[in-house]
Amino acid sequence: MTEEGTDGSADGGDWTVRESDGPETIERKLGHRERTRLERAARRHELGRPDVTELEIGSTTHRVAEVEPMDVDGVRTMTVGTIIWGVIAVALLPFLGTLDEQGRSWWMWTALAGLGLGLIGIEYCRRRRNALRMQPGRRRKES
């Protein structure tokens, strides 16, 4: 026989989960789907997600995660971009006459400018990366 509260429901109509509640009581109060969702959320945090703190500035509350910046030197990004501009320039070569007739030869010049500036950018990023490697105090130590 179950205990009924004043409103006729089990546990006196109290659906608040307490720390003293056992697994069966929690299952009854929350339901299977909600309990599964809460367990997934708890596991997500265990997998290395950063702690979130709240910072109040004036009347606005901001949520801030404590995350270290990525250590990116930019060489890979510049290389991929330069390759894309080179592919575009090569793809436009067969259509150069048509582009000239339609007044769109600037497309080829844009692709060539992207290719040239990308090559300069790759060299700049390579030199920057090498300079940072020579000065270990300016970079986060690799583990």
Side-chain angles (χ1 to χ4, degrees):
M1 194 154 148
T2 62
E3 296 179 358
E4 291 186 346
T6 57
D7 63 351
S9 62
D11 294 331
D14 183 19
W15 295 100
T16 306
V17 175
R18 296 187 177 84
E19 292 209 18
S20 60
D21 290 341
E24 295 85 19
T25 307
I26 292 173
E27 178 76 30
R28 188 175 61 247
K29 288 182 178 180
L30 287 180
H32 175 69
R33 287 186 180 157
E34 182 66 14
R35 186 175 57 83
T36 305
R37 187 189 67 78
L38 290 173
E39 287 174 356
R40 269 195 312 252
R43 276 196 307 265
R44 263 190 302 223
H45 183 69
E46 292 170 1
L47 294 175
R49 292 203 176 189
D51 292 329
V52 175
T53 58
E54 290 187 355
L55 176 66
E56 290 188 32
I57 300 175
S59 62
T60 308
T61 302
H62 300 277
R63 297 180 73 194
V64 181
E66 308 223 356
V67 181
E68 290 193 27
M70 290 178 57
D71 192 20
V72 179
D73 55 28
V75 175
R76 182 181 305 148
T77 305
M78 290 300 297
T79 303
V80 169
T82 304
I83 290 171
I84 291 171
W85 280 117
V87 168
I88 291 171
V90 169
L92 288 175
L93 276 176
F95 305 105
L96 195 53
T98 308
L99 291 174
D100 248 351
E101 291 172 4
Q102 296 178 353
R104 294 184 177 151
S105 59
W106 62 271
W107 288 11
M108 177 59 83
W109 291 111
T110 303
L112 292 174
L115 178 65
L117 290 173
L119 292 172
I120 294 169
I122 290 171
E123 184 60 25
Y124 175 83
C125 288
R126 271 187 354 84
R127 288 185 184 190
R128 180 178 171 272
R129 178 190 61 196
N130 293 340
L132 287 173
R133 284 184 181 165
M134 296 304 229
Q135 300 173 359
R138 288 187 56 188
R139 254 181 92 177
R140 190 178 73 216
K141 296 191 184 226
E142 296 178 21
S143 50

